[in-house]
Amino acid sequence: MILGISIVIFVLVEGILIFSILRYRERPGTPNPFQNHGNLKLELVWTVIPTLVLFVILFFTIRGLLYVAPENEPAATAAQPRIEVTAIGHQWWWEFYYPNYNVTTADTLEVPVGTTVHVNLFSNNVIHSFWVPALTGKTDLIPGHANTKWFVAEKQGTYTGICAEYCGTQHANMRFNVKVVNNDDFKSWMSTQQQAASAPTDPLAQKGADLFKNQCASCHGIVGVNLKQFYNTAQECTDLPGGKPNGSPQCLIGPNLTHFGSRSLIAGGVLDNNTENGNCDPNNPKLKEQCNLAKWLNDPQGIKPGNDMNIGSLTNEQIQQLVAYLEGLK
Ligand code: HEC
Ligand SMILES: [Cu+2]
């Protein structure tokens, strides 16, 4: 709208300018042009018209603002239900916790279509900002301060979200997806997420599970392995009133991996979890070139320099075992 108004004004002004340059340029013998300095009528016209134009633009701006950030969150009703999530900003990835379901995931916030999504924003490190340009404006996650926001996604689909506040070197790789699905899909997804991880049956994956317990469980949680259940980082690991001090044994630094195999992003979206076409089949001879999870495990610091996953190097067999195990955690 504002662009339209600006284009009309631009074309009009430039048109008159070009017309005047051509029509009234100096030719030999033309007299001095008519001097109209101090013409009250003209002064009024070129003050009042731009003022009116600016008021029209102000109207559309305010309307736009109210649309992007409506003031009152609708009360939950049967027709307009509400879902509660806590978005936790880490350096540099997003954790999502669903308090009503007691489920934790990372990188993708899955929500049902047409539902008010009430987001509690939490950080215990630096300031981050939650932004999904196609769905909702930016709101900061401020350490020691409980911020909230809400939005409604009217259409199914996958929307890109980013961290919109510079939060360190890998700020640009702190992306997430909002996946908006129909109610039935959301329910079935949620009931899968609520399960503990199933114990692997395949021998390769079993070795991967042992490796996980030895080398990864100090930073990552898997419900059914080193965690009894999901936990609410915002409550367990917080300096907010009523919270427990940071560093309680539950407060693991890395993403919860209980259902890693069902996710589409890795480590703040620095890579896709590309399991299609047998890329991550553990027997794929090109596993380390084609499977992004294998790439990540092979060199997390090369892929996302400075991130908090500092591990010794893994052998090809170990990577194979871990891929078999983690991608099997659907
Ligand atoms: C010192 C702590 C630490 C250890 C040990 C560690 N990780 Fe990580 N891991 C992290 C952190 C932190 C991230 C998130 C990095 C980021 O995105 O900035 C991560 C990310 C990941 C991810 C991506 C998860 C997602 O949903 O995006 C996977 C998979 C993973 N690690 C697997 C492993 C495995 C397997 C091991 C054991 C071999 C391991 N990690 C050991 C800290 C650790
Ligand atoms: Cu951030």
Side-chain angles (χ1 to χ4, degrees):
M1 188 69 221
I2 293 174
L3 182 69
I5 295 176
S6 310
I7 288 175
V8 169
I9 294 177
F10 177 81
V11 169
L12 209 76
V13 170
E14 294 303 308
I16 294 175
L17 183 68
I18 290 169
F19 171 79
S20 310
I21 289 174
L22 296 177
R23 175 73 179 73
Y24 298 108
R25 70 192 142 171
E26 188 176 10
R27 297 187 177 82
T30 30
N32 267 353
F34 166 64
Q35 302 293 312
N36 59 355
H37 178 78
N39 184 322
L40 185 65
K41 224 193 260 168
L42 260 183
E43 297 274 357
L44 277 178
V45 165
W46 65 48
T47 310
V48 169
I49 291 183
T51 309
L52 291 179
V53 170
L54 286 179
F55 268 109
V56 171
I57 290 177
L58 180 68
F59 168 79
F60 287 108
T61 306
I62 291 175
R63 208 180 62 160
L65 278 178
L66 289 178
Y67 175 76
V68 173
E71 290 229 353
N72 297 315
E73 181 168 345
T77 60
Q80 180 78 0
R82 188 173 118 150
I83 181 163
E84 192 81 40
V85 300
T86 303
I88 299 141
H90 293 267
Q91 280 165 312
W92 294 276
W93 55 280
W94 294 88
E95 176 178 342
F96 299 109
Y97 177 73
Y98 298 76
N100 300 336
Y101 301 90
N102 193 29
V103 158
T104 299
T105 186
D107 306 321
T108 295
L109 172 61
E110 186 148 335
V111 295
V113 69
T115 304
T116 305
V117 184
H118 179 94
V119 194
N120 305 296
L121 300 163
F122 172 75
S123 165
N124 62 1
N125 43 83
V126 298
I127 299 178
H128 303 275
S129 183
F130 181 99
W131 189 29
V132 192
L135 295 178
T136 178
K138 305 170 187 175
T139 309
D140 280 1
L141 292 75
I142 301 170
H145 177 81
N147 249 356
T148 63
K149 72 177 295 133
W150 65 275
F151 66 91
V152 180
E154 305 288 0
K155 274 198 211 125
Q156 291 182 34
T158 300
Y159 303 86
T160 303
I162 54 178
C163 176
E165 179 77 45
Y166 182 74
C167 57
T169 45
Q170 288 296 333
H171 161 69
N173 284 320
M174 187 170 163
R175 292 193 295 268
F176 61 104
N177 279 343
V178 177
K179 192 172 164 196
V180 182
V181 298
N182 69 39
N183 264 307
D184 290 344
D185 287 353
F186 179 76
K187 276 191 197 132
S188 73
W189 175 80
M190 191 48 97
S191 65
T192 319
Q193 298 291 310
Q194 285 174 315
Q195 311 294 317
S198 42
T201 46
D202 162 67
L204 208 58
Q206 277 167 351
K207 288 198 180 123
D210 291 339
L211 209 58
F212 173 85
K213 284 179 218 160
N214 293 329
Q215 301 200 17
C216 322
S218 55
C219 294
H220 293 284
I222 294 186
V223 175
V225 179
N226 62 332
L227 290 180
K228 285 208 192 71
Q229 55 182 33
F230 294 106
Y231 61 92
N232 184 350
T233 299
Q235 258 166 30
E236 299 283 330
C237 316
T238 179
D239 42 10
L240 289 173
K244 298 186 194 124
N246 201 350
S248 97
Q250 303 235 66
C251 301
L252 300 168
I253 195 172
N256 186 299
L257 299 179
T258 308
H259 297 287
F260 174 79
S262 69
R263 293 188 199 153
S264 53
L265 299 178
I266 297 177
V270 73
L271 295 171
D272 290 335
N273 190 13
N274 62 337
T275 52
E276 66 287 347
N277 307 328
N279 284 322
C280 293
D281 179 336
N283 297 316
N284 179 355
K286 294 198 166 148
L287 191 67
K288 263 163 70 176
E289 286 99 77
Q290 293 178 345
C291 171
N292 282 341
L293 175 60
K295 277 190 209 165
W296 172 255
L297 296 176
N298 185 45
D299 187 11
Q301 290 302 322
I303 289 169
K304 197 168 176 181
N307 89 81
D308 284 335
M309 179 154 157
N310 293 301
I311 55 168
S313 60
L314 300 165
T315 65
N316 286 352
E317 289 71 43
Q318 288 176 321
I319 290 177
Q320 224 183 351
Q321 295 160 359
L322 284 167
V323 168
Y325 177 50
L326 293 175
E327 296 294 12
L329 296 175
K330 292 295 179 190

